[in-house]
C-alpha cells in the first residue's frame, strides 16, 4: 500500500465545502460523553480547515447503529464540539443523514463555519459501501478528508465510496500521523526493530506474527498467546490458555524466525495462579514449566528483564497486547516493566491501539510514547501488511 498520501496542507481549501470523516465514536452514558479523547484528537484538523476558510462539514459513525436510532445520535457531539471550538457546530438532524436539514445547513455556510451530519450508520447502505449514500455524501462537498484511522480498515460509504464521487480526497492530521509512525516503522524502520506481541490469543495475531517476522530483528511474545508457543517447545503449561490447533503454527513460526535470523523471545519464567482471579496468589515459576493445576497469568521477572533489555537496545519498538492479565494487580508487573522500558527508551516507541493503548494510558506511560495509535483493528491490519481501504482510496502525493 502506498503511504505517501496528500494531506490537507497539500490542497487549497478556502471557500470550499470540505467533508471530513472523523472518528466521533465516543462512549456515551445517558447522553453525556464520558471520554473526550477522540474529540480532542479531531480538533487539529478541524481548526486548520476553519482557519484556512473552508466550509467544514463533519461526519462520523457512532456505535453499531443499523439504521436510525435516537440513542446513537451525534447531537451530544455537536454540542460538546461547539464548546471546544468556541463556535457553534450546526447539527443537521436528518435520519437519512443527507436530508433537508443537512442541505439547508450546508447551503447557508460561510467560510470557517462547521456543520455536523447525523450518524452515518443511520443509513443502511453505509456498511455495504453502496453508491446511493456515497453519492449523497459527495453531493455536499467539493473536497473529502479522511481523519478516522479507527475505521480506515473498513470499506464503507463514508470512508471509501464517497471518494469515487469527489475530485479530491486527502488525509487529515490524525491519519497523517498514523502513516508517519506506523507506516515508516513497518516499511522503513530504524534498526534494531523490535516488536512485542501479547494479549489473549494466537489466532487473533496469526497474520501479524507472520508478517512481522519478515520485518523485525527481534519478535517478543508474551501474554496468553505465549503458552501455545511454550507448549510447542515441549514445556508443561498447566491450565494456561492454549490453542491446541495453533501448536503446529507456533512451531512453523519458530522455524521461520530461525530461517530469517530473527530473534524470537519467549518467556523464561512465569507468574502463575491457581485460578483466573484477581485474588489468586501469584507464584513465580523456576523456569518455563508451569505445574499441574496452575495457569500462567503474567511473564516472570527473568522474562521481564530479558524483554526490557531487548527494548533498551532497540531503535524502533512496536507493541500490541499486554504481557499478562494486567487488569489484576498481582499479574500486572510484566506489562508494567515492559511499558517502563519503552517509556525510558530513546527509540521510536509505537503502541498499537485497543487494549495496549488502554494499558499504557491507565499505567500512566501514555505521554512517554512516541505514538499511540488511535485504531485497534486498523493498526493490527496495518501490522499484518494489509491494505487499508480508507487509506488506499486517498490521493497519492
Ligand atoms: P488482546 O485483546 O488480544 O490484546 O488481549 C488482551 C487481553 O488479554 C487482556 O484483557 C488480558 O487480560 C488478556 N491476557 C493477557 N495475558 C493473559 C493470560 N496469560 N491469560 C489470560 N488472559 C490474558
Amino acid at each position: 500500500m502506498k503511504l505517501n498520501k496528500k494531506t490537507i496542507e497539500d490542497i487549497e481549501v478556502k471557500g470550499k465545502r470540505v467533508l471530513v470523516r472523523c472518528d466521533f465514536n465516543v462512549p456515551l452514558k445517558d447522553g453525556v460523553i464520558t471520554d473526550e479523547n477522540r474529540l480532542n484528537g479531531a480538533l487539529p484538523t478541524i481548526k486548520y480547515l476553519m482557519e484556512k476558510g473552508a466550509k467544514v462539514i463533519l461526519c462520523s459513525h457512532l456505535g453499531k447503529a443499523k439504521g436510525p436510532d435516537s440513542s446513537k445520535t451525534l447531537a451530544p457531539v455537536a454540542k460538546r464540539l461547539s464548546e471546544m471550538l468556541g463556535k457553534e457546530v450546526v447539527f443537521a438532524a436528518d435520519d437519512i443523514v443527507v436530508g433537508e436539514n443537512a442541505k439547508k445547513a450546508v447551503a447557508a455556510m460561510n467560510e470557517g463555519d462547521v456543520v455536523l451530519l447525523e450518524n452515518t450508520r443511520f443509513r443502511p447502505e453505509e456498511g455495504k459501501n453502496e453508491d446511493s449514500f456515497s453519492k449523497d455524501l459527495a453531493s455536499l462537498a467539493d473536497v473529502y478528508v479522511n481523519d478516522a484511522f479507527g475505521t480506515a480498515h473498513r470499506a464503507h460509504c463514508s470512508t471509501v465510496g464517497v471518494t469515487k464521487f469527489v475530485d479530491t480526497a486527502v488525509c487529515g492530521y490524525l491519519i497523517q500521523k498514523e502513516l508517519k509512525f506506523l507506516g515508516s516503522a513497518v516499511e522503513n524502520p530504524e534498526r534494531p526493530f523490535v516488536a512485542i506481541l501479547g494479549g489473549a490469543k494466537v489466532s487473533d495475531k496469526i497474520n501479524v506474527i507472520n508478517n512481522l517476522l519478515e520485518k523485525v530483528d527481534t519478535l517478543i511474545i508474551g501474554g496468553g498467546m505465549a503458552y501455545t508457543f511454550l507448549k510447542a517447545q515441549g514445556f508443561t503449561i498447566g491450565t494456561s490458555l492454549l490453542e491446541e490447533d495453533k501448536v503446529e503454527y507456533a512451531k512453523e513460526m519458530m522455524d521461520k524466525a530461525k530461517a530469517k535470523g530473527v530473534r524470537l523471545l519467549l518467556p523464561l519464567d512465569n507468574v502463575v495462579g491457581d485460578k483466573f482471579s484477581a485474588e489468586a496468589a501469584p507464584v513465580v515459576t523456576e523456569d518455563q514449566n508451569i505445574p499441574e493445576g496452575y495457569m500462567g497469568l503474567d511473564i516472570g521477572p527473568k522474562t521481564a528483564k530479558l524483554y526490557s533489555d531487548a527494548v533498551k537496545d532497540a531503535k524502533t519498538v512496536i507493541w500490541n497486547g499486554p504481557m499478562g492479565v494486567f487488569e489484576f494487580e498481582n499479574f500486572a508487573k510484566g506489562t508494567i516493566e515492559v511499558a517502563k522500558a519503552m517509556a525510558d527508551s530513546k527509540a521510536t516507541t509505537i503502541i498499537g491501539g485497543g487494549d495496549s493503548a488502554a494499558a499504557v494510558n491507565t499505567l500512566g506511560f501514555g505521554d512517554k510514547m512516541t505514538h499511540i495509535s488511535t485504531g485497534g483493528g486498523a493498526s493490527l491490519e496495518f501490522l499484518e501488511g494489509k491494505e487499508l481501504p480508507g487509506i488506499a482510496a486517498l490521493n497519492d502525493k
Side-chain angles (χ1 to χ4, degrees), residues 14-26:
K14 189 171 165 53
K16 300 222 169 116
R17 296 170 307 160
V18 179
L19 176 70
V20 189
R21 176 44 159 111
C22 300
D23 181 359
F24 293 147
N25 185 25
V26 290

Side-chain angles (χ1 to χ4, degrees), residues 247-265:
V247 171
E248 266 317 300
Y249 178 79
K251 283 184 189 155
E252 271 171 44
M253 290 302 105
M254 292 188 286
D255 289 344
K256 180 169 174 176
K258 224 181 245 160
K260 296 253 166 213
V262 172
R263 247 176 113 209
L264 178 65
L265 301 183

Side-chain angles (χ1 to χ4, degrees), residues 196-201 205 220-226 297-299 307 319-327 331-332 334-336 338 351-360 363:
I196 309 168
L197 294 178
K201 288 200 207 143
K205 290 180 189 159
I220 294 177
I221 292 185
M225 62 195 270
L297 295 172
D298 194 9
I299 54 172
Y307 290 5
W319 183 19
N320 191 297
M323 296 291 96
V325 188
F326 73 98
E327 297 94 333
F331 303 99
T335 301
I336 295 175
V338 169
I351 311 295
D355 267 325
S356 350
V360 164
L363 298 171

Side-chain angles (χ1 to χ4, degrees), residues 184-185 188-196 212 215-220 261-263 265 309-318 345-350:
S184 49
N188 190 20
E190 225 190 312
R191 293 181 184 279
F193 177 21
V194 175
I196 309 168
L212 285 179
K215 318 252 178 201
V216 299
D217 302 294
T218 303
L219 181 64
I220 294 177
V262 172
R263 247 176 113 209
L265 301 183
D309 286 346
V311 166
K312 263 181 216 145
D313 296 335
K315 289 263 169 58
T316 307
V317 189
I318 285 191
S345 142
K346 290 201 176 66
T348 301
T349 48
I350 301 159

